Amino acid sequence: MYLRTQCFLNQTEANFPQVKYTAFLYNDALVWSGLEQDDIRILFKYLTTSLFPSCLESEMQAVQTSPYSTRTATERPSTGHYGKFITGPPNLNDTSLGKIPRIFVNTQGTKTDECHLLVYRALSASICLMVEGSYQLNLDFCRAVDQFLGPQLTVLASDMGEQYSKRLSNSGDSMKYIYFNHMNLAEKSSVHADVSKRAASTAIPPEIVKLMSDVQADLIMTGNDCELIVKGPGDFWVVGKKSDQRELYFVSQKSVNLIEVHEEVKKLCANHFSNIFFLD
């Protein structure tokens, strides 16, 4: 699926040479980016804390006030796909280009590229197109982008959703985990079933969340690659692993001993993180 996503982005850049950089997100999590880390950090924060929430709020208000809000989510729009611009023309049959932010991307030290930021979404997948700032955006360009991205992104997002659902349904692990890589901002979590409901979806008690935070602080203080296993209240176990700039945390609620917890962690690492190097 990752290679398929990257191939799709390469095709997009080849079809639209005005696009200098791209980024792809699914469920508001970064999948791929052509930007440097410092730039994608800033852009990712803007997208997930400002643009996407405001867009979701506008959509909810539109659904509540629209007389056609009874249409089900499974009904396909008249365009034949679910793609639409988040930044850009709100209606491709209109004459307005809408609001298109301009961003500055650091490419070679002190040099910066000014770009138009077009964000296009279908279902839970979003593509960021950073178009050359010198290029005069127009409706014909946006229509061409919509015709190219809409059908393909809809299919890709649907397939990703099926894979995501299968992975959740096939995961019978009693141990919850959170993984984060500081080098490339990669994250993986079984604690949050749905990124959009992070505040309410966690089943871990607040005192165990605090214990996880304490374990993370201790790992950072050591400065070395290590593993910490802590017994918490109510048969809870918290395990923290640090290797280079990768951090992995597990939470389990079982009446087991230290050796059994360690074996369960090894098993889960083999099942879910076999392609990620962690020192034993």
Side-chain angles (χ1 to χ4, degrees):
M1 193 62 70
Y2 176 79
L3 293 178
R4 181 178 165 189
T5 301
Q6 193 170 22
C7 181
F8 175 51
L9 293 176
N10 290 339
Q11 289 179 337
T12 302
E13 293 182 9
N15 277 272
F16 301 98
Q18 304 90 341
V19 177
K20 297 197 67 174
Y21 312 99
T22 56
F24 188 96
L25 295 90
Y26 182 79
N27 268 353
D28 297 351
L30 183 65
V31 176
W32 190 91
S33 167
L35 297 176
E36 297 292 333
Q37 286 192 27
D38 290 342
D39 290 322
I40 193 58
R41 284 176 187 265
I42 298 171
L43 178 60
F44 181 78
K45 184 174 182 180
Y46 164 68
L47 294 173
T48 56
T49 63
S50 178
L51 182 62
F52 291 164
S54 63
C55 176
L56 179 61
E57 183 179 355
S58 300
E59 289 178 350
M60 293 298 293
Q61 291 176 352
V63 168
Q64 292 173 359
T65 58
S66 173
Y68 305 103
S69 59
T70 55
R71 190 183 73 179
T72 64
T74 57
E75 292 183 63
R76 206 177 217 21
S78 58
T79 57
H81 60 78
Y82 292 97
K84 65 177 181 178
F85 285 99
I86 302 299
T87 63
N91 186 347
L92 291 171
N93 296 321
D94 203 349
T95 58
S96 172
L97 281 174
K99 295 182 179 179
I100 303 176
R102 298 174 76 91
I103 62 174
F104 294 87
V105 178
N106 294 317
T107 55
Q108 298 176 356
T110 57
K111 182 184 177 182
T112 59
D113 286 340
E114 183 178 1
C115 299
H116 305 284
L117 177 62
L118 279 175
V119 182
Y120 191 88
R121 167 170 281 190
L123 302 176
S124 296
S126 304
I127 290 184
C128 299
L129 305 177
M130 282 142 274
V131 184
E132 289 183 0
S134 59
Y135 180 74
Q136 187 68 36
L137 289 175
N138 54 73
L139 279 174
D140 288 337
F141 175 81
C142 293
R143 290 190 185 107
V145 169
D146 176 71
Q147 291 174 4
F148 179 81
L149 293 183
Q152 296 190 68
L153 187 59
T154 297
V155 174
L156 181 59
S158 178
D159 292 345
M160 282 185 165
E162 290 181 8
Q163 292 286 337
Y164 184 72
S165 299
K166 287 180 181 178
R167 183 169 297 181
L168 286 178
S169 61
N170 294 334
S171 177
D173 301 309
S174 60
M175 184 174 279
K176 303 293 185 181
Y177 60 83
I178 300 176
Y179 165 79
F180 182 70
N181 187 334
H182 291 270
M183 291 181 286
N184 59 8
L185 305 183
E187 63 173 308
K188 188 175 181 180
S189 171
S190 65
V191 173
H192 310 98
D194 187 346
V195 177
S196 65
K197 301 176 182 178
R198 283 188 173 180
S201 65
T202 179
I204 300 177
E207 61 269 21
I208 303 303
V209 174
K210 183 180 183 304
L211 183 58
M212 293 176 66
S213 178
D214 293 339
V215 170
Q216 195 264 351
D218 289 341
L219 288 177
I220 298 300
M221 285 181 60
T222 61
N224 300 316
D225 297 342
C226 61
E227 175 178 301
L228 293 178
I229 302 178
V230 180
K231 177 69 170 66
D235 288 331
F236 272 100
W237 290 86
V238 175
V239 182
K241 293 173 68 73
K242 180 178 178 293
S243 182
D244 197 6
Q245 296 191 50
R246 305 176 185 89
E247 296 179 27
L248 185 57
Y249 301 93
F250 302 94
V251 177
S252 177
Q253 188 181 21
K254 279 186 176 182
S255 180
V256 293
N257 57 41
L258 184 63
I259 296 177
E260 291 172 326
V261 171
H262 181 67
E263 290 300 319
E264 190 172 354
V265 168
K266 288 177 62 177
K267 180 180 177 182
L268 195 143
C269 283
N271 290 337
H272 297 279
F273 301 96
S274 57
N275 60 335
I276 300 174
F277 176 72
F278 279 101
L279 291 174
D280 289 330

